[in-house]
Amino acid sequence: MHFVEGLLDGLPPLVVYLVVGAVIAVESMGIPLPGEVVLVSASLMAASKIVSPLGVAVGASLGAIVGDSIGYTIGRRGGRPLLERLGRRFPKHLGPKHLAKAEQTFDRWGVWAVFFGRFVALLRILAGPLAGALKVPYPRFLVANAAGGILWAGGTTYAIYHVGRVAEKWLKGFSWVALVVAVLFGLGTTLYIKRRIAKSAAEIDGDGPADNG
């Protein structure tokens, strides 16, 4: 976390937004990168008024939507053989067990896997390529992709931004303590959001058969 923030620190705001968007976009294409770590780091910078939270949220949202769409196109053209090649290249992240788990999630949730997948590390990487390989209709994919990307990016950014601002106000004069508290609360908030999303997904799964269209 501190290493990533150190890399972003000192960059012009516009460059920070572009880096955030680019890292998340590449991650969403199916390449394992620390997209969430970069987003949290940039959000903490926004809390310190180094960059704008809106800029971070917009950059992350666009990166998520564009990256997933490119991943979808790659997956649709390359099919399962492409996913298997990626698995051999990144066995710790996209191995056979990971792919099987992601496919099982799509079988159960259908297009909802794209929306909820934005909040889960494995599906955040595989949702786009896997949806393309499984021939999910693109209009439905795009709606779920955009909604999940905006909610994830905007929600994470502003949750950590506001927590960081409150911590900084309470602990003014002890910036390093404020940073630690902001990181802990920010991660706690992110975990809470993920658990709520997972609970909602489980309830949806229990309501009836998934829509695999």
Side-chain angles (χ1 to χ4, degrees):
M1 178 76 72
H2 294 293
F3 174 73
V4 173
E5 190 169 357
L7 291 177
L8 295 176
D9 191 26
L11 296 176
L14 179 59
V15 176
V16 172
Y17 309 147
L18 292 175
V19 169
V20 170
V23 171
I24 291 175
V26 173
E27 179 190 44
S28 301
M29 293 178 198
I31 306 299
L33 286 182
E36 191 167 48
V37 173
V38 171
L39 177 58
V40 170
S41 298
S43 301
L44 289 173
M45 292 175 64
S48 299
K49 298 184 178 180
I50 299 175
V51 296
S52 163
L54 178 60
V56 173
V58 170
S61 297
L62 290 175
I65 296 170
V66 172
D68 265 345
S69 294
I70 294 175
Y72 173 92
T73 301
I74 294 173
R76 192 171 183 90
R77 292 183 178 180
R80 186 181 176 85
L82 172 64
L83 298 177
E84 293 174 347
R85 285 199 299 273
L86 287 175
R88 290 192 292 270
R89 186 172 185 132
F90 304 103
K92 292 183 178 180
H93 302 277
L94 306 174
K97 292 183 179 179
H98 302 87
L99 181 57
K101 184 176 180 180
E103 287 184 316
Q104 182 182 24
T105 302
F106 264 82
D107 288 340
R108 295 179 63 186
W109 295 351
V111 74
W112 282 104
V114 176
F115 177 85
F116 292 116
R118 179 48 58 178
F119 299 86
V120 181
L122 173 63
L123 285 179
R124 188 160 56 246
I125 298 173
L126 281 177
L130 192 55
L134 296 178
K135 310 299 182 184
V136 174
Y138 182 71
R140 303 189 69 181
F141 166 82
L142 181 60
V143 171
N145 169 33
I150 292 172
L151 181 60
W152 172 75
T156 301
T157 298
Y158 278 96
I160 294 177
Y161 167 77
H162 286 299
V163 168
R165 294 297 297 158
V166 171
E168 188 176 34
K169 182 178 180 180
W170 284 355
L171 301 173
K172 190 175 182 179
F174 299 91
S175 58
W176 67 272
V177 178
L179 178 60
V180 172
V181 172
V183 170
L184 292 177
F185 272 94
L187 291 176
T189 301
T190 301
L191 289 174
Y192 174 77
I193 293 174
K194 286 184 176 181
R195 288 179 179 177
R196 293 292 297 175
I197 290 293
K199 182 178 179 181
S200 298
E203 291 175 353
I204 290 172
D205 183 43
D207 287 340
D211 178 5
N212 291 317

